[in-house]
Amino acid sequence: MTHSSDWAVEAHGLVKVFGDNRAVDGVDLSVRTGTVYGVLGPNGAGKTTTIRMLATLLKPDGGDATVFGHDIRREPQIVRQLIGVTGQYASVDETLSATENLMLFSRLNGLSRADARRKSTELLEEFGLSEAATRPLKKFSGGMRRRLDLAASLISQPPLIFLDEPTTGLDPRTRSQMWDTIRRLVATGSTVLLTTQYLDEADQLADRIAVIDRGIVVAEGTAGELKASVGTSSLLLRLADAGSLERARHAILDVLGVESVLTPEAGRITAPMSDPDSVTDLLIRLRADGIAIEELSVQQPTLDEVFLALTGHPADDDAAPAPGDAAAGASGAAPTPELETAR
Ligand SMILES: Nc1ncnc2c1ncn2[C@@H]1O[C@H](COP(=O)(O)OP(=O)(O)OP(=O)(O)O)[C@@H](O)[C@H]1O
Ligand SMILES: [Mg+2]
């Protein structure tokens, strides 16, 4: 058995149907060995389902895929030896302590008792779990659990690691700790395929990104390529009065012909821009409309705008307009009803 291959994952036309829901509807993915690949999409996009098929935990209804050249249907045993899966489905024993869990994993991976103890202590230290070492898992917080889960996957350090939303719900410090660990995994030879709902996470970590929405890959490329595909630059406006956000949105739609992303709390509005020169026309229009601005800049677009441009709806469904929100009354262009069905 050999797994010398340029491609850790090659998937073509993967399909998974649940009843009449085509959860994954023809997904192609190519993950180069030694890289971090990000699958980015909102709730219900089909991320976990895709990973479960690649990890041989779920049978595809269509398409095929290989892991380091091994077919996931015909050689599932070999594939399982090459992968580690952590994430939304924690696989550790609830009644055992953190140390006992890591010891168990280490022993299962063929370490001697002494090595297993040393390794477990090291990992608990590294993940800031030393103080909770003897606590049973059922008393762990979500963040501690996530860290232990990743720690367990470091024991065997398989060539390909699937991380399903590794940082969802983590505080910023733990999150950046996870990012460091993921980078370290790749630096020491693993390939990582991670899913995320966070655009900045994909931007920070992934060499390439597939944007997935309702079971379909709507775009693929490096973060830079995805940003460039939307327009060459991005306009950022901060308004003196957040109450004029809606009018500013209309002005931008009129002058630049594009939808913008509103951040009402910050009085902030961003929009993709293909021609930086047109900012002059916009400024004239804003003054004519009596909309005072506090800050204006033209910069590289954010992945949020990329997602909006590609799918017609924002990536974070949860950020849908709240009652009393200036954006709540937006008519026409706001695709809110579709967002609901995406869940
Ligand atoms: N076992 C299942 N039985 C029936 N439907 C399922 C099953 N698993 C997933 N689905 C449906 O398939 C679609 C994709 O789900 P999936 O869990 O892959 O999304 P996701 O991108 O991982 O979302 P999230 O960000 O919420 O984890 C959803 O509509 C979901 O309800
Ligand atoms: Mg999921």
Side-chain angles (χ1 to χ4, degrees), residues 227 230-237 256 269-274 276 296-302 305:
K227 290 171 182 175
V230 184
T232 52
S233 49
S234 167
L235 169 79
L236 168 79
L237 272 182
L256 304 179
I269 183 162
T270 58
M273 225 180 153
S274 51
L296 175 144
S297 66
V298 178
Q299 56 200 28
Q300 207 189 20
T302 65
E305 288 150 356

PDB file of all heavy atoms in Angstrom, residues 227 230-237 256 269-274 276 296-302 305:
ATOM      1  N   LYS A 227     -11.468  36.831  -3.961  1.00  0.00           N
ATOM      2  CA  LYS A 227     -11.685  38.272  -3.775  1.00  0.00           C
ATOM      3  C   LYS A 227     -11.613  39.007  -5.109  1.00  0.00           C
ATOM      4  O   LYS A 227     -12.409  39.886  -5.394  1.00  0.00           O
ATOM      5  CB  LYS A 227     -10.655  38.841  -2.805  1.00  0.00           C
ATOM      6  CG  LYS A 227     -10.870  38.383  -1.375  1.00  0.00           C
ATOM      7  CD  LYS A 227      -9.701  38.813  -0.525  1.00  0.00           C
ATOM      8  CE  LYS A 227      -9.853  38.332   0.909  1.00  0.00           C
ATOM      9  NZ  LYS A 227      -8.645  38.656   1.690  1.00  0.00           N
ATOM     10  N   VAL A 230     -14.671  39.091  -7.549  1.00  0.00           N
ATOM     11  CA  VAL A 230     -15.830  39.928  -7.264  1.00  0.00           C
ATOM     12  C   VAL A 230     -15.692  41.315  -7.844  1.00  0.00           C
ATOM     13  O   VAL A 230     -16.647  41.952  -8.244  1.00  0.00           O
ATOM     14  CB  VAL A 230     -16.023  40.057  -5.739  1.00  0.00           C
ATOM     15  CG1 VAL A 230     -17.279  40.833  -5.434  1.00  0.00           C
ATOM     16  CG2 VAL A 230     -16.088  38.692  -5.117  1.00  0.00           C
ATOM     17  N   GLY A 231     -14.507  41.799  -7.885  1.00  0.00           N
ATOM     18  CA  GLY A 231     -14.250  43.164  -8.315  1.00  0.00           C
ATOM     19  C   GLY A 231     -12.856  43.459  -7.853  1.00  0.00           C
ATOM     20  O   GLY A 231     -12.296  42.709  -7.069  1.00  0.00           O
ATOM     21  N   THR A 232     -12.280  44.510  -8.340  1.00  0.00           N
ATOM     22  CA  THR A 232     -10.890  44.736  -7.988  1.00  0.00           C
ATOM     23  C   THR A 232     -10.727  45.316  -6.599  1.00  0.00           C
ATOM     24  O   THR A 232      -9.695  45.187  -5.989  1.00  0.00           O
ATOM     25  CB  THR A 232     -10.212  45.692  -8.999  1.00  0.00           C
ATOM     26  OG1 THR A 232     -11.039  46.845  -9.107  1.00  0.00           O
ATOM     27  CG2 THR A 232     -10.060  45.026 -10.334  1.00  0.00           C
ATOM     28  N   SER A 233     -11.764  45.965  -6.098  1.00  0.00           N
ATOM     29  CA  SER A 233     -11.607  46.604  -4.802  1.00  0.00           C
ATOM     30  C   SER A 233     -12.930  46.677  -4.070  1.00  0.00           C
ATOM     31  O   SER A 233     -13.967  46.287  -4.584  1.00  0.00           O
ATOM     32  CB  SER A 233     -11.038  48.013  -4.971  1.00  0.00           C
ATOM     33  OG  SER A 233     -11.760  48.690  -5.955  1.00  0.00           O
ATOM     34  N   SER A 234     -12.842  47.180  -2.866  1.00  0.00           N
ATOM     35  CA  SER A 234     -14.014  47.229  -2.018  1.00  0.00           C
ATOM     36  C   SER A 234     -14.104  48.598  -1.366  1.00  0.00           C
ATOM     37  O   SER A 234     -13.110  49.161  -0.933  1.00  0.00           O
ATOM     38  CB  SER A 234     -13.892  46.151  -0.949  1.00  0.00           C
ATOM     39  OG  SER A 234     -14.850  46.363   0.050  1.00  0.00           O
ATOM     40  N   LEU A 235     -15.326  49.089  -1.336  1.00  0.00           N
ATOM     41  CA  LEU A 235     -15.548  50.402  -0.755  1.00  0.00           C
ATOM     42  C   LEU A 235     -16.014  50.244   0.680  1.00  0.00           C
ATOM     43  O   LEU A 235     -16.880  49.428   0.971  1.00  0.00           O
ATOM     44  CB  LEU A 235     -16.640  51.111  -1.565  1.00  0.00           C
ATOM     45  CG  LEU A 235     -17.195  52.400  -0.968  1.00  0.00           C
ATOM     46  CD1 LEU A 235     -16.248  53.550  -1.217  1.00  0.00           C
ATOM     47  CD2 LEU A 235     -18.568  52.693  -1.546  1.00  0.00           C
ATOM     48  N   LEU A 236     -15.398  51.000   1.577  1.00  0.00           N
ATOM     49  CA  LEU A 236     -15.849  51.026   2.965  1.00  0.00           C
ATOM     50  C   LEU A 236     -16.249  52.449   3.334  1.00  0.00           C
ATOM     51  O   LEU A 236     -15.492  53.394   3.112  1.00  0.00           O
ATOM     52  CB  LEU A 236     -14.738  50.574   3.912  1.00  0.00           C
ATOM     53  CG  LEU A 236     -15.016  50.841   5.398  1.00  0.00           C
ATOM     54  CD1 LEU A 236     -15.967  49.805   5.971  1.00  0.00           C
ATOM     55  CD2 LEU A 236     -13.734  50.873   6.202  1.00  0.00           C
ATOM     56  N   LEU A 237     -17.474  52.560   3.846  1.00  0.00           N
ATOM     57  CA  LEU A 237     -17.971  53.872   4.284  1.00  0.00           C
ATOM     58  C   LEU A 237     -18.398  53.775   5.732  1.00  0.00           C
ATOM     59  O   LEU A 237     -19.049  52.811   6.118  1.00  0.00           O
ATOM     60  CB  LEU A 237     -19.236  54.236   3.490  1.00  0.00           C
ATOM     61  CG  LEU A 237     -19.156  54.946   2.169  1.00  0.00           C
ATOM     62  CD1 LEU A 237     -20.569  55.196   1.662  1.00  0.00           C
ATOM     63  CD2 LEU A 237     -18.401  56.245   2.292  1.00  0.00           C
ATOM     64  N   LEU A 256     -23.207  52.964  -8.177  1.00  0.00           N
ATOM     65  CA  LEU A 256     -22.263  51.893  -8.510  1.00  0.00           C
ATOM     66  C   LEU A 256     -22.956  50.659  -9.075  1.00  0.00           C
ATOM     67  O   LEU A 256     -22.305  49.763  -9.611  1.00  0.00           O
ATOM     68  CB  LEU A 256     -21.452  51.480  -7.267  1.00  0.00           C
ATOM     69  CG  LEU A 256     -20.674  52.588  -6.534  1.00  0.00           C
ATOM     70  CD1 LEU A 256     -19.957  52.008  -5.322  1.00  0.00           C
ATOM     71  CD2 LEU A 256     -19.672  53.252  -7.472  1.00  0.00           C
ATOM     72  N   ILE A 269     -20.804  50.503   6.067  1.00  0.00           N
ATOM     73  CA  ILE A 269     -21.367  49.929   4.848  1.00  0.00           C
ATOM     74  C   ILE A 269     -20.208  49.589   3.903  1.00  0.00           C
ATOM     75  O   ILE A 269     -19.270  50.358   3.771  1.00  0.00           O
ATOM     76  CB  ILE A 269     -22.394  50.922   4.241  1.00  0.00           C
ATOM     77  CG1 ILE A 269     -23.082  50.368   3.003  1.00  0.00           C
ATOM     78  CG2 ILE A 269     -21.769  52.267   3.905  1.00  0.00           C
ATOM     79  CD1 ILE A 269     -24.374  51.132   2.678  1.00  0.00           C
ATOM     80  N   THR A 270     -20.230  48.381   3.346  1.00  0.00           N
ATOM     81  CA  THR A 270     -19.180  48.020   2.397  1.00  0.00           C
ATOM     82  C   THR A 270     -19.821  47.526   1.107  1.00  0.00           C
ATOM     83  O   THR A 270     -20.934  47.004   1.120  1.00  0.00           O
ATOM     84  CB  THR A 270     -18.265  46.897   2.940  1.00  0.00           C
ATOM     85  OG1 THR A 270     -19.064  45.759   3.232  1.00  0.00           O
ATOM     86  CG2 THR A 270     -17.525  47.323   4.190  1.00  0.00           C
ATOM     87  N   ALA A 271     -19.116  47.713   0.004  1.00  0.00           N
ATOM     88  CA  ALA A 271     -19.650  47.291  -1.287  1.00  0.00           C
ATOM     89  C   ALA A 271     -18.506  46.971  -2.244  1.00  0.00           C
ATOM     90  O   ALA A 271     -17.442  47.585  -2.168  1.00  0.00           O
ATOM     91  CB  ALA A 271     -20.517  48.394  -1.877  1.00  0.00           C
ATOM     92  N   PRO A 272     -18.714  45.982  -3.128  1.00  0.00           N
ATOM     93  CA  PRO A 272     -17.688  45.700  -4.126  1.00  0.00           C
ATOM     94  C   PRO A 272     -17.646  46.821  -5.162  1.00  0.00           C
ATOM     95  O   PRO A 272     -18.668  47.459  -5.432  1.00  0.00           O
ATOM     96  CB  PRO A 272     -18.163  44.388  -4.752  1.00  0.00           C
ATOM     97  CG  PRO A 272     -19.629  44.336  -4.496  1.00  0.00           C
ATOM     98  CD  PRO A 272     -19.893  45.111  -3.248  1.00  0.00           C
ATOM     99  N   MET A 273     -16.480  47.031  -5.729  1.00  0.00           N
ATOM    100  CA  MET A 273     -16.292  48.166  -6.626  1.00  0.00           C
ATOM    101  C   MET A 273     -15.355  47.780  -7.745  1.00  0.00           C
ATOM    102  O   MET A 273     -14.232  47.348  -7.487  1.00  0.00           O
ATOM    103  CB  MET A 273     -15.616  49.255  -5.795  1.00  0.00           C
ATOM    104  CG  MET A 273     -16.204  50.585  -5.995  1.00  0.00           C
ATOM    105  SD  MET A 273     -15.321  51.718  -4.971  1.00  0.00           S
ATOM    106  CE  MET A 273     -15.627  53.108  -5.955  1.00  0.00           C
ATOM    107  N   SER A 274     -15.804  47.892  -8.985  1.00  0.00           N
ATOM    108  CA  SER A 274     -14.911  47.489 -10.068  1.00  0.00           C
ATOM    109  C   SER A 274     -14.065  48.661 -10.549  1.00  0.00           C
ATOM    110  O   SER A 274     -12.974  48.489 -11.046  1.00  0.00           O
ATOM    111  CB  SER A 274     -15.711  46.892 -11.227  1.00  0.00           C
ATOM    112  OG  SER A 274     -16.745  47.776 -11.572  1.00  0.00           O
ATOM    113  N   PRO A 276     -12.478  52.080  -9.086  1.00  0.00           N
ATOM    114  CA  PRO A 276     -12.258  52.987  -7.956  1.00  0.00           C
ATOM    115  C   PRO A 276     -12.560  54.454  -8.302  1.00  0.00           C
ATOM    116  O   PRO A 276     -12.901  55.235  -7.419  1.00  0.00           O
ATOM    117  CB  PRO A 276     -10.775  52.795  -7.626  1.00  0.00           C
ATOM    118  CG  PRO A 276     -10.438  51.447  -8.153  1.00  0.00           C
ATOM    119  CD  PRO A 276     -11.301  51.260  -9.372  1.00  0.00           C
ATOM    120  N   LEU A 296     -13.948  57.014   4.764  1.00  0.00           N
ATOM    121  CA  LEU A 296     -14.144  56.347   3.485  1.00  0.00           C
ATOM    122  C   LEU A 296     -12.830  55.721   3.059  1.00  0.00           C
ATOM    123  O   LEU A 296     -11.777  56.333   3.191  1.00  0.00           O
ATOM    124  CB  LEU A 296     -14.594  57.359   2.422  1.00  0.00           C
ATOM    125  CG  LEU A 296     -14.732  56.808   0.993  1.00  0.00           C
ATOM    126  CD1 LEU A 296     -15.893  57.466   0.280  1.00  0.00           C
ATOM    127  CD2 LEU A 296     -13.457  56.999   0.179  1.00  0.00           C
ATOM    128  N   SER A 297     -12.878  54.482   2.612  1.00  0.00           N
ATOM    129  CA  SER A 297     -11.659  53.894   2.060  1.00  0.00           C
ATOM    130  C   SER A 297     -12.019  52.930   0.940  1.00  0.00           C
ATOM    131  O   SER A 297     -13.135  52.420   0.851  1.00  0.00           O
ATOM    132  CB  SER A 297     -10.853  53.181   3.148  1.00  0.00           C
ATOM    133  OG  SER A 297     -11.570  52.074   3.619  1.00  0.00           O
ATOM    134  N   VAL A 298     -11.041  52.714   0.067  1.00  0.00           N
ATOM    135  CA  VAL A 298     -11.201  51.736  -1.000  1.00  0.00           C
ATOM    136  C   VAL A 298     -10.117  50.695  -0.777  1.00  0.00           C
ATOM    137  O   VAL A 298      -8.949  51.014  -0.686  1.00  0.00           O
ATOM    138  CB  VAL A 298     -11.042  52.404  -2.389  1.00  0.00           C
ATOM    139  CG1 VAL A 298     -11.153  51.368  -3.492  1.00  0.00           C
ATOM    140  CG2 VAL A 298     -12.087  53.489  -2.570  1.00  0.00           C
ATOM    141  N   GLN A 299     -10.524  49.438  -0.595  1.00  0.00           N
ATOM    142  CA  GLN A 299      -9.555  48.394  -0.251  1.00  0.00           C
ATOM    143  C   GLN A 299      -9.905  47.069  -0.920  1.00  0.00           C
ATOM    144  O   GLN A 299     -10.901  46.974  -1.638  1.00  0.00           O
ATOM    145  CB  GLN A 299      -9.507  48.226   1.269  1.00  0.00           C
ATOM    146  CG  GLN A 299     -10.882  47.923   1.845  1.00  0.00           C
ATOM    147  CD  GLN A 299     -10.966  48.228   3.338  1.00  0.00           C
ATOM    148  OE1 GLN A 299     -10.257  49.086   3.851  1.00  0.00           O
ATOM    149  NE2 GLN A 299     -11.848  47.526   4.025  1.00  0.00           N
ATOM    150  N   GLN A 300      -9.091  46.043  -0.642  1.00  0.00           N
ATOM    151  CA  GLN A 300      -9.359  44.711  -1.185  1.00  0.00           C
ATOM    152  C   GLN A 300     -10.683  44.204  -0.591  1.00  0.00           C
ATOM    153  O   GLN A 300     -10.956  44.426   0.587  1.00  0.00           O
ATOM    154  CB  GLN A 300      -8.215  43.773  -0.781  1.00  0.00           C
ATOM    155  CG  GLN A 300      -8.050  42.649  -1.757  1.00  0.00           C
ATOM    156  CD  GLN A 300      -7.070  41.591  -1.269  1.00  0.00           C
ATOM    157  OE1 GLN A 300      -6.778  41.467  -0.093  1.00  0.00           O
ATOM    158  NE2 GLN A 300      -6.575  40.818  -2.206  1.00  0.00           N
ATOM    159  N   PRO A 301     -11.508  43.535  -1.382  1.00  0.00           N
ATOM    160  CA  PRO A 301     -12.800  43.097  -0.839  1.00  0.00           C
ATOM    161  C   PRO A 301     -12.643  42.036   0.246  1.00  0.00           C
ATOM    162  O   PRO A 301     -11.656  41.318   0.282  1.00  0.00           O
ATOM    163  CB  PRO A 301     -13.527  42.512  -2.050  1.00  0.00           C
ATOM    164  CG  PRO A 301     -12.464  42.171  -3.017  1.00  0.00           C
ATOM    165  CD  PRO A 301     -11.338  43.126  -2.779  1.00  0.00           C
ATOM    166  N   THR A 302     -13.626  41.951   1.129  1.00  0.00           N
ATOM    167  CA  THR A 302     -13.611  40.912   2.156  1.00  0.00           C
ATOM    168  C   THR A 302     -14.294  39.666   1.594  1.00  0.00           C
ATOM    169  O   THR A 302     -15.045  39.738   0.620  1.00  0.00           O
ATOM    170  CB  THR A 302     -14.405  41.354   3.389  1.00  0.00           C
ATOM    171  OG1 THR A 302     -15.773  41.496   3.008  1.00  0.00           O
ATOM    172  CG2 THR A 302     -13.878  42.668   3.935  1.00  0.00           C
ATOM    173  N   GLU A 305     -18.090  39.868   1.224  1.00  0.00           N
ATOM    174  CA  GLU A 305     -18.615  40.402  -0.028  1.00  0.00           C
ATOM    175  C   GLU A 305     -18.537  39.375  -1.132  1.00  0.00           C
ATOM    176  O   GLU A 305     -19.404  39.298  -1.993  1.00  0.00           O
ATOM    177  CB  GLU A 305     -17.843  41.668  -0.411  1.00  0.00           C
ATOM    178  CG  GLU A 305     -18.189  42.832   0.478  1.00  0.00           C
ATOM    179  CD  GLU A 305     -17.040  43.804   0.631  1.00  0.00           C
ATOM    180  OE1 GLU A 305     -15.944  43.535   0.104  1.00  0.00           O
ATOM    181  OE2 GLU A 305     -17.245  44.819   1.294  1.00  0.00           O
TER     182      GLU A 305
END
